[in-house]
Amino acid sequence: MSHTAHIRSHRKPRRSASTIAMRTGVAGGVLSTLAVAGASGAAHAAEPVTQTLELPTLTADLAAQVAQSADVTQQAAASYQLRAERDAAAAKAAKQAKADLAEAKKKAAEAKKKAEEAARKEAAERASRAAERTTLSASSDTGSSTGTGSSTSTSTSTATGSAAAVVSFVQAQVGKAYVSGATGPSAYDCSGLVQAAFKQVGISLPRVSQAQSTAGTQVGLDNLQPGDILYWGGAGSAYHVGVYVGGGMFVGAQNSSTGVVERPLSYDPPSGAVRVL
């Protein structure tokens, strides 16, 4: 008897064929299931690959469309803005034109009003001159019929002293030219002649007719004396002056057509007179 006969054998017992077959079938089934699952997984895994390959293409097209749409929208917005700016500019121009028209109408109305006032003033002055002319004529006729000389028919021969010098000077200038702004000796304007005449006797008069019409004492046209300054227009706003030389006559630098002339008072009756001498 072997010395190991009492020891239980360590060898594994033999499996039966049925057991092996069964285990083989199970394993095969498991492997088959894994194979099917793997195939299914592979099939499912393939789909994302296809989508992943197509996604960039779709995304790029969409981005291009979005960019194009944004450009169109931006162009439309710019067009609307330009149109709005043009409309605003047109509205502003129309408003300014309306304001300018209103201002022009206002100025035209003011100019018309001033012209009417000037016309009324001139008409009043003409009426006043006509009345004075009538009064002067009546006074002259009365003096002639009664034989008692009046002041308006005073002869230059009665002038003495400084008045005679003034009268002599202005009568010596008759026939010389009228030039606006001239003060002699070859040409005069109305106030230049009067100023030069009184300068001969040492009297300094203002240069312009407006100031000369208030340079002395106001006297009535029915009480004139040789050497008195005659004026046409208002005192302080006279537009013409001359010198009374007696006998119902005056000397003045009338205009560029006539020059310095001697005329009767009835030729152009003055508005008033001042006495300096």
Side-chain angles (χ1 to χ4, degrees), residues 98-190:
K98 186 177 180 180
D100 291 343
L101 179 60
E103 183 66 19
K105 288 182 178 179
K106 181 180 178 182
K107 290 183 178 179
E110 291 176 352
K112 182 179 180 180
K113 184 178 179 181
K114 289 181 179 179
E116 291 175 349
E117 290 177 353
R120 284 194 297 268
K121 183 177 180 181
E122 174 129 3
E125 289 178 352
R126 287 178 180 176
S128 177
R129 289 180 188 177
E132 291 171 355
R133 181 181 303 156
T134 301
T135 302
L136 186 61
S137 298
S139 176
S140 297
D141 292 342
T142 301
S144 298
S145 61
T146 59
T148 58
S150 67
S151 61
T152 55
S153 62
T154 302
S155 170
T156 55
S157 62
T158 62
T160 59
S162 297
V166 169
V167 169
S168 177
F169 178 85
V170 294
Q171 288 179 327
Q173 312 309 311
V174 172
K176 291 187 177 180
Y178 173 96
V179 177
S180 179
T183 57
S186 59
Y188 299 90
D189 64 9
C190 64

Side-chain angles (χ1 to χ4, degrees), residues 42-58:
H44 287 295
E47 291 180 2
V49 171
T50 302
Q51 291 176 357
T52 302
L53 292 174
E54 294 177 359
L55 185 58
T57 303
L58 294 175

Side-chain angles (χ1 to χ4, degrees), residues 13-277:
R14 294 187 177 207
R15 298 186 179 91
S16 65
S18 61
T19 302
I20 294 174
M22 183 182 67
R23 290 187 178 182
T24 301
V26 172
V30 172
L31 292 174
S32 296
T33 301
L34 293 175
V36 171
S40 178
H44 287 295
E47 291 180 2
V49 171
T50 302
Q51 291 176 357
T52 302
L53 292 174
E54 294 177 359
L55 185 58
T57 303
L58 294 175
T59 303
D61 292 341
L62 182 59
Q65 292 177 3
V66 171
Q68 185 177 5
S69 177
D71 290 340
V72 172
T73 301
Q74 185 175 3
Q75 291 176 0
S79 178
Y80 291 146
Q81 182 179 0
L82 180 60
R83 185 179 303 173
E85 290 175 352
R86 288 177 179 174
D87 292 344
K92 184 178 180 180
K95 184 177 180 181
Q96 184 63 41
K98 186 177 180 180
D100 291 343
L101 179 60
E103 183 66 19
K105 288 182 178 179
K106 181 180 178 182
K107 290 183 178 179
E110 291 176 352
K112 182 179 180 180
K113 184 178 179 181
K114 289 181 179 179
E116 291 175 349
E117 290 177 353
R120 284 194 297 268
K121 183 177 180 181
E122 174 129 3
E125 289 178 352
R126 287 178 180 176
S128 177
R129 289 180 188 177
E132 291 171 355
R133 181 181 303 156
T134 301
T135 302
L136 186 61
S137 298
S139 176
S140 297
D141 292 342
T142 301
S144 298
S145 61
T146 59
T148 58
S150 67
S151 61
T152 55
S153 62
T154 302
S155 170
T156 55
S157 62
T158 62
T160 59
S162 297
V166 169
V167 169
S168 177
F169 178 85
V170 294
Q171 288 179 327
Q173 312 309 311
V174 172
K176 291 187 177 180
Y178 173 96
V179 177
S180 179
T183 57
S186 59
Y188 299 90
D189 64 9
C190 64
S191 57
L193 174 63
V194 173
Q195 184 186 50
F198 281 84
K199 187 177 181 180
Q200 303 304 309
V201 294
I203 296 176
S204 178
L205 290 180
R207 172 64 184 85
V208 295
S209 58
Q210 292 89 341
Q212 289 179 0
S213 65
T214 59
T217 303
Q218 296 287 328
V219 295
L221 295 176
D222 59 348
N223 190 32
L224 294 175
Q225 293 181 5
D228 287 345
I229 299 173
L230 306 176
Y231 62 84
W232 285 255
S237 59
Y239 57 85
H240 183 63
V241 289
V243 176
Y244 180 67
V245 295
M249 305 292 286
F250 74 92
V251 173
Q254 294 299 99
N255 53 58
S256 57
S257 298
T258 63
V260 180
V261 294
E262 183 173 355
R263 293 283 189 268
L265 293 176
S266 59
Y267 169 78
D268 186 14
S271 303
V274 291
R275 185 166 298 156
V276 178
L277 300 174

